[in-house]
mmCIF file of all heavy atoms in Angstrom:
data_model
loop_
_atom_site.group_PDB
_atom_site.id
_atom_site.type_symbol
_atom_site.label_atom_id
_atom_site.label_comp_id
_atom_site.label_asym_id
_atom_site.label_seq_id
_atom_site.Cartn_x
_atom_site.Cartn_y
_atom_site.Cartn_z
ATOM 1 N N VAL K 213 -8.103 32.622 -2.310
ATOM 2 C CA VAL K 213 -8.885 32.259 -1.110
ATOM 3 C C VAL K 213 -9.994 31.279 -1.455
ATOM 4 O O VAL K 213 -10.633 31.410 -2.549
ATOM 5 C CB VAL K 213 -9.477 33.485 -0.498
ATOM 6 C CG1 VAL K 213 -10.528 33.211 0.544
ATOM 7 C CG2 VAL K 213 -8.460 34.454 0.002
ATOM 8 N N TYR K 214 -10.180 30.159 -0.734
ATOM 9 C CA TYR K 214 -11.148 29.179 -1.066
ATOM 10 C C TYR K 214 -12.120 28.934 0.076
ATOM 11 O O TYR K 214 -13.037 28.157 -0.030
ATOM 12 C CB TYR K 214 -10.480 27.811 -1.464
ATOM 13 C CG TYR K 214 -9.514 27.230 -0.523
ATOM 14 C CD1 TYR K 214 -9.943 26.449 0.506
ATOM 15 C CD2 TYR K 214 -8.201 27.534 -0.706
ATOM 16 C CE1 TYR K 214 -9.013 25.914 1.336
ATOM 17 C CE2 TYR K 214 -7.265 27.008 0.129
ATOM 18 C CZ TYR K 214 -7.707 26.246 1.132
ATOM 19 O OH TYR K 214 -6.729 25.683 2.090
ATOM 20 N N ARG K 215 -11.914 29.631 1.215
ATOM 21 C CA ARG K 215 -12.931 29.579 2.315
ATOM 22 C C ARG K 215 -13.202 31.035 2.748
ATOM 23 O O ARG K 215 -12.338 31.635 3.404
ATOM 24 C CB ARG K 215 -12.397 28.808 3.467
ATOM 25 C CG ARG K 215 -12.628 27.303 3.414
ATOM 26 C CD ARG K 215 -12.267 26.657 4.709
ATOM 27 N NE ARG K 215 -12.546 25.218 4.648
ATOM 28 C CZ ARG K 215 -11.641 24.285 4.933
ATOM 29 N NH1 ARG K 215 -10.382 24.522 5.162
ATOM 30 N NH2 ARG K 215 -12.040 23.009 4.894
ATOM 31 N N PRO K 216 -14.250 31.612 2.245
ATOM 32 C CA PRO K 216 -15.392 31.023 1.434
ATOM 33 C C PRO K 216 -15.027 30.962 -0.033
ATOM 34 O O PRO K 216 -14.100 31.584 -0.511
ATOM 35 C CB PRO K 216 -16.517 32.090 1.676
ATOM 36 C CG PRO K 216 -15.748 33.371 1.738
ATOM 37 C CD PRO K 216 -14.476 33.105 2.474
ATOM 38 N N LEU K 217 -15.806 30.149 -0.747
ATOM 39 C CA LEU K 217 -15.595 29.959 -2.097
ATOM 40 C C LEU K 217 -15.921 31.227 -2.883
ATOM 41 O O LEU K 217 -15.241 31.581 -3.793
ATOM 42 C CB LEU K 217 -16.527 28.781 -2.586
ATOM 43 C CG LEU K 217 -15.993 27.783 -3.675
ATOM 44 C CD1 LEU K 217 -14.605 27.424 -3.424
ATOM 45 C CD2 LEU K 217 -16.965 26.614 -3.656
ATOM 46 N N GLU K 218 -17.084 31.852 -2.470
ATOM 47 C CA GLU K 218 -17.460 33.011 -3.170
ATOM 48 C C GLU K 218 -17.094 34.259 -2.351
ATOM 49 O O GLU K 218 -17.804 34.584 -1.390
ATOM 50 C CB GLU K 218 -19.005 33.089 -3.396
ATOM 51 C CG GLU K 218 -19.366 34.116 -4.438
ATOM 52 C CD GLU K 218 -20.911 34.345 -4.535
ATOM 53 O OE1 GLU K 218 -21.423 34.706 -3.396
ATOM 54 O OE2 GLU K 218 -21.422 34.178 -5.545
ATOM 55 N N THR K 219 -15.918 34.822 -2.669
ATOM 56 C CA THR K 219 -15.397 35.971 -1.857
ATOM 57 C C THR K 219 -16.079 37.249 -2.444
ATOM 58 O O THR K 219 -16.630 37.289 -3.555
ATOM 59 C CB THR K 219 -13.937 36.109 -2.088
ATOM 60 O OG1 THR K 219 -13.646 36.190 -3.517
ATOM 61 C CG2 THR K 219 -13.178 34.846 -1.517
ATOM 62 N N ARG K 220 -15.830 38.304 -1.706
ATOM 63 C CA ARG K 220 -16.407 39.602 -2.110
ATOM 64 C C ARG K 220 -15.734 39.966 -3.526
ATOM 65 O O ARG K 220 -16.421 40.551 -4.388
ATOM 66 C CB ARG K 220 -16.113 40.648 -1.053
ATOM 67 C CG ARG K 220 -16.633 41.978 -1.457
ATOM 68 C CD ARG K 220 -16.843 42.865 -0.233
ATOM 69 N NE ARG K 220 -16.962 44.239 -0.694
ATOM 70 C CZ ARG K 220 -16.779 45.310 0.062
ATOM 71 N NH1 ARG K 220 -16.424 45.142 1.403
ATOM 72 N NH2 ARG K 220 -16.904 46.502 -0.368
ATOM 73 N N LEU K 221 -14.410 39.724 -3.586
ATOM 74 C CA LEU K 221 -13.772 40.056 -4.864
ATOM 75 C C LEU K 221 -14.470 39.354 -6.077
ATOM 76 O O LEU K 221 -14.700 39.957 -7.125
ATOM 77 C CB LEU K 221 -12.287 39.680 -4.798
ATOM 78 C CG LEU K 221 -11.534 39.770 -6.138
ATOM 79 C CD1 LEU K 221 -11.491 41.195 -6.551
ATOM 80 C CD2 LEU K 221 -10.111 39.215 -6.000
ATOM 81 N N LEU K 222 -14.723 38.058 -5.929
ATOM 82 C CA LEU K 222 -15.343 37.301 -6.996
ATOM 83 C C LEU K 222 -16.771 37.736 -7.257
ATOM 84 O O LEU K 222 -17.181 37.830 -8.393
ATOM 85 C CB LEU K 222 -15.236 35.749 -6.684
ATOM 86 C CG LEU K 222 -13.909 35.157 -6.733
ATOM 87 C CD1 LEU K 222 -14.044 33.575 -6.629
ATOM 88 C CD2 LEU K 222 -13.117 35.532 -8.025
ATOM 89 N N ARG K 223 -17.486 38.125 -6.152
ATOM 90 C CA ARG K 223 -18.811 38.677 -6.426
ATOM 91 C C ARG K 223 -18.749 39.989 -7.196
ATOM 92 O O ARG K 223 -19.488 40.238 -8.121
ATOM 93 C CB ARG K 223 -19.516 39.025 -5.076
ATOM 94 C CG ARG K 223 -20.097 37.763 -4.387
ATOM 95 C CD ARG K 223 -21.230 38.109 -3.441
ATOM 96 N NE ARG K 223 -20.893 39.203 -2.619
ATOM 97 C CZ ARG K 223 -20.263 39.141 -1.369
ATOM 98 N NH1 ARG K 223 -19.779 38.052 -1.001
ATOM 99 N NH2 ARG K 223 -20.152 40.259 -0.625
ATOM 100 N N ASP K 224 -17.734 40.889 -6.749
ATOM 101 C CA ASP K 224 -17.648 42.185 -7.468
ATOM 102 C C ASP K 224 -17.243 41.902 -9.000
ATOM 103 O O ASP K 224 -17.727 42.580 -9.885
ATOM 104 C CB ASP K 224 -16.557 43.013 -6.857
ATOM 105 C CG ASP K 224 -17.030 43.534 -5.454
ATOM 106 O OD1 ASP K 224 -18.203 43.530 -5.181
ATOM 107 O OD2 ASP K 224 -16.064 43.974 -4.702
ATOM 108 N N ALA K 225 -16.351 40.940 -9.156
ATOM 109 C CA ALA K 225 -15.861 40.715 -10.600
ATOM 110 C C ALA K 225 -17.045 40.108 -11.411
ATOM 111 O O ALA K 225 -17.208 40.553 -12.535
ATOM 112 C CB ALA K 225 -14.753 39.617 -10.420
ATOM 113 N N ALA K 226 -17.803 39.234 -10.820
ATOM 114 C CA ALA K 226 -18.952 38.709 -11.620
ATOM 115 C C ALA K 226 -19.977 39.802 -11.906
ATOM 116 O O ALA K 226 -20.527 39.852 -12.966
ATOM 117 C CB ALA K 226 -19.621 37.632 -10.796
ATOM 118 N N GLY K 227 -20.061 40.781 -11.012
ATOM 119 C CA GLY K 227 -21.003 41.956 -11.173
ATOM 120 C C GLY K 227 -20.612 42.802 -12.323
ATOM 121 O O GLY K 227 -21.452 43.481 -12.942
#
Side-chain angles (χ1 to χ4, degrees):
V213 171
Y214 53 86
R215 274 187 176 125
L217 213 44
E218 195 194 57
T219 57
R220 180 157 164 202
L221 171 63
L222 292 187
R223 280 205 315 277
D224 290 344

